[in-house]
Amino acid sequence: MIRSIETFRVKVPLKKPFKTALRTLTTAESVVVKIIDSEGRAGYGEAPPTHVITGDSLSGIEAAINEVIGPKCIGQSVLARENLLHTIHTSMVGNTSAKAALDCAVHDLLAQHAGLPLYQFLGGSRDTLETDYTVSVNAPEEMASDALQFIQDGFSILKIKVGIGAIEEDLKRIRAIREKAPDCVLRLDANQGWTAKEAIYAIRKMEDEGLNIELVEQPVKAHDIEGLKQVTDHTYTPVMADESVFSPKDAIRVLQMRAADLINIKLMKAGGIHQALTIAKLAESYGIECMTGSMIETKVGITAAAHFAASQRNITRFDFDAPLLLAEDIVVGGVSYHQSEMKLANTPGLGILTIQNHAVI
């Protein structure tokens, strides 16, 4: 039975500004939610404000949890998960980040009650993951220098942000990075920064030059599914849908149209693990593999996303470098990192022990 729900804000500076085609961040801010059940267990979730993707703000997340969704959850049984998760996902329209935080906290509690790590409770496919590392969009020389540093730090998969300025500038960025990193796996993320024609031109150019790009993520605007399909149909390099897929309904449209070769599932878009599992299974039924990524989050949100991703065989790529971008780790427990390798603890639930001065009851 849910006894109480509380929220608090966290704020951590980034080591270096994080730049994409959509925004530039120097600080990571989030709302952390803690759900306490009648037996004294604490479940944790996190919701970062990602205005340009989900439309969520810090104050909006807090209001959604504390004033609308949370009060309807008090007194409900965690073990009646279908009823509780239905309440979370139908109490209001949108607000997917707030829903995700509550959803993850509920799943943390469920796994604790079962005495299992969350990844085992959900499916248990693996207990280690390899994350990529993101190269923010900057001048070609700076991006190449950053890429080389990340490789020296032990990362063999780089996610390259593009989509700002002229297409030729993006091509210069990729060429400069590939010259410094001839053997590294390169993933591109345009963050909706190209038109369909620009994307086809750029991707074909990279193919002709042998730049060996593993995939291109969200080349066009989120709503432009026809444009996404056009890029997918007219290039050899796999195309991944990200912002185009929030919900299972979005996934069905992309899958039925064969508009993308891959789908990036993020808990903050899906509204949490419950809906994310549906998207993963839908994609699997179409023979489409998935990545799980994140926003700029602390280890609270990343640990939940990593447990979800590790539970499913069809999730084959992982973008969980966000905690490594932060100047400070405020979370004790949860997922651990050794260079690019992530290890999930075998403690029940998410295994989160402390957040700042907030200890698990």
Side-chain angles (χ1 to χ4, degrees), residues 171-317:
L171 290 170
K172 288 178 183 178
R173 292 173 172 128
I174 302 308
R175 292 184 191 115
I177 292 170
R178 180 51 83 194
E179 183 177 352
K180 294 282 188 180
D183 301 319
C184 192
V185 175
L186 298 185
R187 300 168 176 166
L188 303 192
D189 186 1
N191 284 115
Q192 309 178 57
W194 295 336
T195 65
K197 285 188 176 182
E198 288 173 334
I200 293 168
Y201 168 79
I203 296 169
R204 284 181 170 178
K205 189 79 170 174
M206 289 183 280
E207 291 170 350
D208 290 343
E209 293 181 19
L211 293 176
N212 192 22
I213 304 303
E214 183 200 25
L215 61 88
V216 176
E217 184 175 349
Q218 199 61 48
V220 300
K221 295 296 183 184
H223 62 80
D224 187 11
I225 308 302
E226 290 78 9
L228 185 67
K229 177 173 173 57
Q230 187 179 2
V231 178
T232 301
D233 287 346
H234 291 87
T235 56
Y236 179 76
T237 303
V239 173
M240 176 181 287
D242 180 8
E243 290 94 344
S244 290
V245 177
F246 271 59
S247 66
K249 185 176 180 180
D250 294 337
I252 289 170
R253 185 183 180 200
V254 168
L255 292 166
Q256 286 182 338
M257 288 180 62
R258 294 286 175 177
D261 302 294
L262 303 155
I263 290 177
N264 188 350
I265 304 172
K266 293 177 180 172
L267 301 187
M268 295 305 126
K269 294 184 304 171
I273 292 168
H274 188 58
Q275 297 281 73
L277 285 166
T278 301
I279 295 171
K281 292 303 184 186
L282 283 168
E284 186 175 30
S285 70
Y286 278 81
I288 297 294
E289 294 181 359
C290 296
M291 172 190 277
T292 301
S294 69
M295 308 306 184
I296 299 300
E297 305 167 37
T298 73
K299 272 197 336 190
V300 177
I302 295 299
T303 297
H307 275 266
F308 158 70
S311 74
Q312 303 297 302
R313 284 176 50 84
N314 197 51
I315 299 174
T316 57
R317 295 166 177 84

Side-chain angles (χ1 to χ4, degrees), residues 84-101:
L84 179 54
L85 293 169
H86 179 77
T87 296
I88 290 171
H89 289 284
T90 61
S91 290
M92 61 192 309
V93 174
N95 292 274
T96 54
S97 297
K99 292 173 180 177

Side-chain angles (χ1 to χ4, degrees), residues 20-25 49-56 191-192 222 243 246 295:
T20 75
L22 294 173
R23 58 178 179 161
T24 298
L25 289 179
T50 314
H51 309 76
V52 293
I53 298 175
T54 64
D56 296 319
N191 284 115
Q192 309 178 57
E243 290 94 344
F246 271 59
M295 308 306 184

